[in-house]
Amino acid sequence: MTTTTSPDLPTRIRRLADDSPVRPGRERWRSVLRTTLRHATMIVAAVIMIYPLIWLVGSSFKPTELIFRDLSVLPTEWDFSNYASGWEALSQPFGRYMLNSAVIVAGCLLGNLVTCSMAGYAFARLRFRGRNMWFAMMLISIMLPIHVIIVPRYIMFQQMDWINTFWPLIVPKLLATDAFFIFLMVQFFRGIPNELEEAARIDGCGHPRIFFSVMLPNAVPALATTAIFTFIWTWNGFFSQLIFLTRDEMRTAPLALRLFLDPATGSNWGPMFAMSIVTLVPIFLVFLFGQRYLVQGIATTGMK
């Protein structure tokens, strides 16, 4: 015959403490503390990351001789002439360089949106011989740095007499050479339900009609992501533009900013910082108005 003994007093006290209504309140305060610490850490990290941009904006309103002597964010002496002098400081008005960048960006946008989406549809929806091999080769090309292919590209474009024109920067985009965007479109097209394509086939649609009437309207987030990244990367492009554009009137905005630096006679920091802010405005506006599509495109592509 076995007998059960009641728990000792310390054990009963601990059980009563665990069942008391004080514990939910304690957990709630712990959750609030964790959330506060997390938000405070994110705010501090954001301030650290955005501080260089804030300093750049403030320095664009400082006299050149005070930029590195006065490291405060707000200028002690305001000089609004940096923007006017920077706009006219080079051999061409800075608007000419901005226009050159805009022309290149427009051509690259058109090329990537059209050709990368078509290539992505082909890899995602069509069945053809060697598809997996070509897809693997396309992915391998992502790992090739531009320095590996810049010399043969320069020789080829020089023989075509395209140096100091925009064609070497635009034409490759018309041939679906950006493997990253092709892969992005492939992942998105694979996530579109097959029932939509089958319904279009029943209605008598071929591949061109399915692509333009079914696939593209459903791929707006991926297209917007491609457009935003293409704009930012092309607008900020430097190395390829430095190689193919050597005449002053053909330079782009990043190349023009480099002309403000002169180790021999001294760099014109104030106007250079002012024009740097001018070149950042288009990127800021594109990211501001396209942020929702960018997040949606990356999120949906990652899930699919």
Side-chain angles (χ1 to χ4, degrees):
M1 180 176 179
T2 60
T3 60
T4 58
T5 59
S6 60
D8 55 354
L9 184 59
T11 303
R12 294 175 59 186
I13 293 176
R14 283 196 300 269
R15 289 180 179 178
L16 290 176
D18 292 339
D19 296 336
S20 63
V22 179
R23 186 174 181 81
R26 186 187 308 164
E27 290 296 331
R28 184 169 60 252
W29 281 108
R30 289 179 180 176
S31 177
V32 171
L33 181 60
R34 286 194 298 267
T35 303
T36 303
L37 291 177
R38 183 166 59 249
H39 288 176
T41 303
M42 294 174 62
I43 292 174
V44 172
V47 171
I48 293 175
M49 288 187 291
I50 204 174
Y51 174 79
L53 179 60
I54 298 176
W55 183 85
L56 176 65
V57 174
S59 298
S60 66
F61 293 101
K62 294 179 182 180
T64 301
E65 61 273 8
L66 295 180
I67 290 179
F68 296 106
R69 284 166 38 191
D70 181 12
L71 299 181
S72 60
V73 175
L74 293 178
T76 55
E77 296 182 19
W78 293 82
D79 186 3
F80 295 95
S81 63
N82 286 334
Y83 286 85
S85 60
W87 192 267
E88 301 291 342
L90 304 177
S91 59
Q92 301 287 334
F94 201 82
R96 174 62 182 269
Y97 306 119
M98 298 277 288
L99 179 62
N100 292 341
S101 294
V103 172
I104 296 175
V105 166
C108 294
L109 274 175
L110 178 63
N112 275 346
L113 289 177
V114 174
T115 61
C116 291
S117 60
M118 295 176 67
Y121 174 76
F123 281 122
R125 294 293 185 173
L126 302 185
R127 299 292 182 268
F128 53 90
R129 181 176 298 178
R131 186 187 66 164
N132 294 334
M133 180 191 67
W134 291 114
F135 186 71
M137 293 180 63
M138 183 270 297
L139 293 179
I140 292 175
S141 67
I142 298 179
M143 297 182 289
L144 287 177
I146 189 175
H147 309 84
V148 175
I149 61 176
I150 193 65
V151 173
R153 284 178 60 183
Y154 183 86
I155 296 174
M156 179 179 64
F157 291 135
Q158 187 181 40
Q159 294 174 350
M160 299 172 66
D161 198 22
W162 280 6
I163 303 300
N164 281 315
T165 66
F166 297 147
W167 297 120
L169 302 171
I170 296 177
V171 170
K173 307 298 182 181
L174 301 175
L175 303 176
T177 57
D178 277 334
F180 173 79
F181 297 122
I182 298 176
F183 179 73
L184 180 72
M185 300 304 299
V186 168
Q187 293 298 101
F188 198 91
F189 284 139
R190 284 177 176 174
I192 295 178
N194 294 327
E195 289 77 7
L196 297 177
E197 184 177 356
E198 294 173 357
R201 290 186 181 278
I202 293 175
D203 292 338
C205 297
H207 287 296
R209 185 67 180 275
I210 293 175
F211 175 71
F212 288 105
S213 300
V214 178
M215 294 297 174
L216 285 187
N218 287 282
V220 172
L223 293 173
T225 303
T226 300
I228 293 172
F229 277 121
T230 299
F231 182 93
I232 295 175
W233 292 348
T234 306
W235 186 269
N236 290 331
F238 183 83
F239 185 72
S240 296
Q241 299 170 8
L242 179 65
I243 297 297
F244 296 116
L245 304 176
T246 58
R247 290 209 309 261
D248 187 69
E249 64 273 12
M250 302 298 296
R251 299 181 193 272
T252 57
L255 297 181
L257 290 176
R258 178 176 172 268
L259 299 178
F260 286 98
L261 301 176
D262 190 354
T265 60
S267 301
N268 204 357
W269 296 105
M272 188 189 72
F273 287 165
M275 293 303 99
S276 298
I277 297 298
V278 172
T279 57
L280 285 175
V281 170
I283 298 178
F284 175 78
L285 294 177
V286 167
F287 186 80
L288 179 65
F289 292 104
Q291 181 181 6
R292 178 168 61 91
Y293 298 100
L294 178 64
V295 174
Q296 183 181 1
I298 295 177
T300 53
T301 303
M303 289 189 299
K304 297 175 181 178

